[in-house]
Amino acid sequence: MSTDDTTPDGLIPAAILASDTPVAVYGYARAKAGEEGRMLGEIQAIIGLTRKEDGCEQYVVHTTPDQPGAFAFYERWSSGAHLLAHVSQPFMQTYFAAIAGLVEGELEAHWLHPLS
């Protein structure tokens, strides 16, 4: 976890958090063998809550039947401050703690700046 215990270390760059324009991220995570169902449950538990948050423009999670336990995320937030508020939510703290032992390797995140 990061020094403020809100997100896994290094997941969100400071420049993204400081953005006053929309930010987006494509992320990828794979569940450890045998943990696919638990990881799916943790992800499903946050989707509706996240979509209701102020500044959440889009939040979708994808998976594929040929790769059970592989999850691709796409998020778009109105600003870095909205993203920071999101990862600071108590339900996200619970989520990060829960998936820490379920994820194979590290969470992968690719930060995007919309062209318009």
Side-chain angles (χ1 to χ4, degrees):
M1 297 297 260
S2 66
T3 55
D4 64 2
D5 285 334
T6 56
T7 59
D9 286 331
L11 187 63
I12 305 173
I16 294 295
L17 293 175
S19 177
D20 59 358
T21 60
V23 296
V25 62
Y26 156 75
Y28 179 81
R30 179 178 292 283
K32 290 180 180 175
E35 300 292 359
E36 298 88 353
R38 285 183 58 205
M39 180 118 164
L40 175 61
E42 294 295 338
I43 292 168
Q44 288 175 321
I46 66 167
I47 291 173
L49 295 169
T50 298
R51 288 179 178 163
K52 292 177 185 175
E53 288 183 70
D54 185 40
C56 179
E57 296 180 8
Q58 189 171 17
Y59 188 86
V60 292
V61 184
H62 301 271
T63 191
T64 175
D66 4 344
Q67 293 183 11
F71 301 95
F73 300 78
Y74 178 78
E75 304 177 36
R76 181 178 159 116
W77 295 90
S78 298
S79 70
H82 288 101
L83 174 60
L84 180 59
H86 164 64
V87 298
S88 300
Q89 292 290 331
F91 75 87
M92 286 303 296
Q93 298 302 299
T94 300
Y95 169 76
F96 285 129
I99 68 164
L102 304 178
V103 175
E104 182 71 39
E106 297 291 322
L107 295 173
E108 183 180 319
H110 302 277
W111 296 95
L112 311 167
H113 295 273
L115 295 176
S116 61

